[in-house]
Amino acid sequence: MEAVLMREEAVARPEGGKHVKLNVTLKSITSLAENINAFEFVSSDCGPLPAFSAGSHVDVHLPGSTIRQYSLCNSPAERHRYVVAVLRDASGRGGSVAMHDNLRVGQKLVISAPRNHFALEESARTHVFIAGGIGITPIMSMLAEVQRRGEQFHLFYCARTPERTAFLDRLKPLIDRGLVSLHFDDGDPQKGLDLTATLTKRSDNAHLYYCGPGRFMDAIEKASAHWPAGTRHCERFSASGTVAPSIDSSSRDGQERPVPFELELRRAQKTFTVQAEESIVDVLRANGVEVDTSCCEGYCGTCMTRYLEGEPLHRDTVLDEEDREEFVMICCSRSKSGKLVLDL
Ligand code: FES
């Protein structure tokens, strides 16, 4: 889940090295489509929830120490609730199955404050959205926001069948006005949206936002390669094939291999060595330092940590260049410098 960020609240900054957590109650579960449920969370103290920007997601801490990220699909104008929509994926890592099978209305849960790695571009006045399947979720909050702002937009929404398509009721007024195009392919890519034709022309000042399965995202990236830098924004739910390879330093045989480095926790006043075959998270946990992780592949943002000195070897697909000057994803990144100092 990544992309360009709104500078004022691009990322929910970790406090004391950790993300802010919220106590919430699951108020309702609603079926949206085949195997897709909406989960509505309200604050357990009945107060307003922190404001969020369109495209934000939250970490849901599930029983059993599982943490999963889900995009908020309700309007950012709402402060009384957060709503996520989840596709039950029996072949996934277990988070969506746990959401569907184990959560009950009234259950109390911990979630993170919203973070946004997939924000609307503030300067854009025309927005082109492309959603594949459950990739519609962050785009639903974006649609609410661009309508509130009165900006131009069009959504291309691709799915297998109407039965497997979430939010059709909510989108119907926009479909009727020609602002949303539906494309059902029945699982046959030949019947899918012609991405090349769709993305060949770009109107002035238009920005593109897309989210969906990995291959779908790759195809969009390719079809929009001619769009100007900074006008394309996407959110991935798995590591992209473009993630930096797991290499650090050049060796004599021309191969590059990870090398050990020193890791200092400035506030804890502790120093460890991260060996070539270890991750920063491995070393922290082995030494009793509690850290939250979820994807462990650099695309969810859960492990984002501020660093104070050194030069990280960034391997995530979340942070932009400006954020990389301050933060590092410690599940996957290493250090180019001999020492990396974290604000922990
Ligand atoms: S755990 Fe997902 S980015 Fe590190």
Side-chain angles (χ1 to χ4, degrees), residues 69 115 281 292-304 316-318 329-332:
Q69 292 70 45
R115 300 195 297 275
V281 165
D292 288 338
T293 59
S294 179
C295 73
C296 290
E297 293 183 55
Y299 63 81
C300 76
T302 302
C303 67
M304 184 172 69
D316 65 277
T317 55
V318 175
M329 296 300 176
I330 58 174
C331 66
C332 59

